[in-house]
Amino acid sequence: YLADELNRTETIYPQNKCLHELFEEQARLTPGRPAVIFNERQLTYAELNARANQLAHVLRKRGVAAGAPVGLCVERSLEMIVALIGILKAGGAYLPLDPEQPAARLAYQVKAAGSSILIAQQSLLQQVCDLEVKILLVDSDRALFEEELRKNPELATSPDSPVYTIYTSGSTGAPKAVSISHRNLVNYSHFICRKLGLNPDTSEPGFHFGTVSTLSADLGNTSIFPALLSGGCLHIISHELAMDGGAFAEY
């Protein structure tokens, strides 16, 4: 009997939806609610969805197809979340690149993953300019994105499509890739929302989540997607604030 109970791990979650589909549903429910905040700037759900759509349309035109790995080398910012969701909407899987890592490691990750396009910021261009990929700057190329449609692109992925690929530290040899599917991350995000009693409705203000983790580690997924799939507000905590115990506690 005990073995049967322990093995009963089935749970109900949106098995036939991708992460960005669920985010789009939430954006329709709560378009004016704050979705993400960084320092003094914020984006509502409608604004975040529209900006991610514009980036997705650009990526589609640059050849990003279903499951294609797209490098993502950005600092903590609103643009980080815009780029992340935009990649998923285009049909791609994001490949987080830590700008503090050596150039040789970044080059290895890009080549091993087979990525041909990279999203970065102007401030990080020096770290990635020698990589053999096309580079889009999510901040200084903003005028290019603004020419695109703000509507949701047609779905190009399935729940079994990869949502991201991260690399191990490589401390025991060459870094190894680990890919996660939409179904995996939808299941995990739904679990977090269920444990916290969160529902994607419009009747109550959303919960506030804070993220301090780099995208190169999947710890951030405990906050990022549960926030955006439940109508919550995601606070991106800067590195400087996270390192100041008093200021962090006050925030």
Side-chain angles (χ1 to χ4, degrees):
Y1 174 79
L2 180 58
D4 289 340
E5 285 296 304
L6 293 175
N7 288 327
R8 192 171 296 141
T9 58
E10 300 88 353
T11 187
I12 298 173
Y13 68 97
Q15 299 187 33
N16 298 317
K17 295 287 184 71
C18 294
L19 282 164
H20 49 290
E21 286 185 277
L22 296 171
F23 169 72
E24 289 168 359
E25 291 177 3
Q26 186 61 52
R28 285 193 293 270
L29 283 173
T30 55
R33 184 180 292 178
V36 59
I37 291 176
F38 178 69
N39 292 338
E40 301 301 320
R41 300 171 60 209
Q42 73 173 36
L43 293 173
T44 65
Y45 273 84
E47 290 169 337
L48 176 56
N49 190 53
R51 288 185 57 176
N53 286 340
Q54 291 174 314
L55 175 58
H57 290 301
V58 171
L59 291 174
R60 288 266 180 98
K61 291 180 178 179
R62 300 295 176 92
V64 173
V70 179
L72 182 57
C73 187
V74 294
E75 297 174 312
R76 299 178 197 179
S77 59
L78 297 184
E79 288 73 23
M80 178 180 79
I81 303 301
V82 170
L84 190 157
I85 298 177
I87 291 171
L88 301 186
K89 284 172 169 282
Y94 66 92
L95 172 68
L97 302 171
D98 189 341
E100 296 185 3
Q101 292 290 335
R105 176 181 169 93
L106 300 183
Y108 172 84
Q109 289 175 272
V110 167
K111 183 176 182 180
S115 180
S116 62
I117 191 166
L118 168 70
I119 296 176
Q121 291 167 304
Q122 182 67 46
S123 60
L124 299 176
L125 186 57
Q126 192 64 35
Q127 283 95 313
V128 299
C129 62
D130 292 331
L131 300 179
E132 297 179 1
V133 291
K134 302 173 186 175
I135 298 175
L136 278 174
L137 300 177
V138 73
D139 46 8
S140 57
D141 284 340
R142 180 70 192 132
L144 171 67
F145 307 139
E146 288 178 344
E147 298 176 358
E148 294 295 333
L149 296 174
R150 298 165 65 89
K151 69 177 184 179
N152 298 331
E154 293 184 6
L155 185 66
T157 50
S158 75
D160 292 319
S161 299
V163 61
Y164 69 87
T165 297
I166 58 173
Y167 277 79
T168 62
S169 65
S171 57
T172 59
K176 296 177 178 61
V178 179
S179 292
I180 302 299
S181 73
H182 280 266
R183 193 188 308 277
N184 297 148
L185 198 46
V186 167
N187 186 6
Y188 179 70
S189 300
H190 192 264
F191 164 78
I192 296 295
C193 291
R194 189 174 70 252
K195 295 298 287 186
L196 295 177
L198 307 182
N199 295 304
D201 58 33
T202 59
S203 59
E204 297 291 339
F207 276 64
H208 289 260
F209 292 73
T211 182
V212 299
S213 175
T214 171
L215 289 179
S216 300
D218 53 12
L219 178 62
N221 292 331
T222 304
S223 293
I224 294 173
F225 292 104
L228 298 178
L229 301 189
S230 69
C233 182
L234 178 67
H235 294 249
I236 301 173
I237 310 300
S238 70
H239 179 75
E240 293 75 20
L241 180 59
M243 292 298 101
D244 185 331
F248 185 38
E250 182 179 355
Y251 189 97

